[in-house]
Amino acid sequence: ALRRASQAAALLGMPKVSLSLQAAKAKEGDILAKLSKVQQASQSSKQQTRLNQQRSEWVEQAKKLAAEERRLENDLQDAATSLGLLPELAEERQKGEEAIADSWFQVAGVRQLLAQV
């Protein structure tokens, strides 16, 4: 039947179609594989964009918190000076700084563990 169709097409002056059904299916499979790769790349790009946006928001929030910390430290310093509590304030500040340093040390350890996973 296929042979008769191509003979009829030749008699009518129609160009021969060189793709067989098997070649067309192979081409379709190739196209679907490429489409799948493009879709995966698109999803990865979207996810990376979301992560970058989240990271930017966190950085902005960290900057705001650091500015508020400086303002509160200045207020505390002014209050301690006016009340004559500078020695106690220095001791409390040192304890706080040590606790912060310890927390960051622990965070760094967790990051190293995650990097190994």
Side-chain angles (χ1 to χ4, degrees):
L2 187 59
R3 184 182 229 177
R4 277 190 246 146
S6 65
Q7 286 174 348
L11 288 175
L12 295 173
M14 299 172 104
K16 278 189 172 180
V17 177
S18 63
L19 288 179
S20 67
L21 182 58
Q22 192 175 21
K25 286 183 179 180
K27 186 115 176 126
E28 179 184 18
D30 186 42
I31 290 170
L32 289 175
K34 289 179 182 177
L35 176 62
S36 176
K37 286 181 183 179
V38 168
Q39 288 174 333
Q40 287 174 351
S42 173
Q43 288 295 342
S44 176
S45 177
K46 286 178 185 177
Q47 184 178 13
Q48 192 61 43
T49 300
R50 283 192 297 269
L51 289 173
N52 287 338
Q53 289 172 341
Q54 184 68 46
R55 194 173 295 126
S56 295
E57 290 173 12
W58 287 345
V59 167
E60 191 61 35
Q61 184 67 23
K63 288 178 183 178
K64 288 178 183 178
L65 290 172
E68 179 148 0
E69 176 194 17
R70 284 189 300 275
R71 184 185 62 76
L72 291 172
E73 283 289 336
N74 290 338
D75 289 350
L76 180 60
Q77 181 73 36
D78 293 344
T81 301
S82 68
L83 294 173
L85 301 173
L86 285 179
E88 292 89 359
L89 178 63
E91 185 179 323
E92 286 295 320
R93 186 175 286 165
Q94 182 178 359
K95 287 179 184 177
E97 288 172 358
E98 289 171 359
I100 290 170
D102 184 50
S103 297
W104 280 112
F105 179 76
Q106 291 176 11
V107 167
V110 170
R111 285 181 178 163
Q112 287 179 346
L113 287 174
L114 288 174
Q116 294 173 2
V117 174

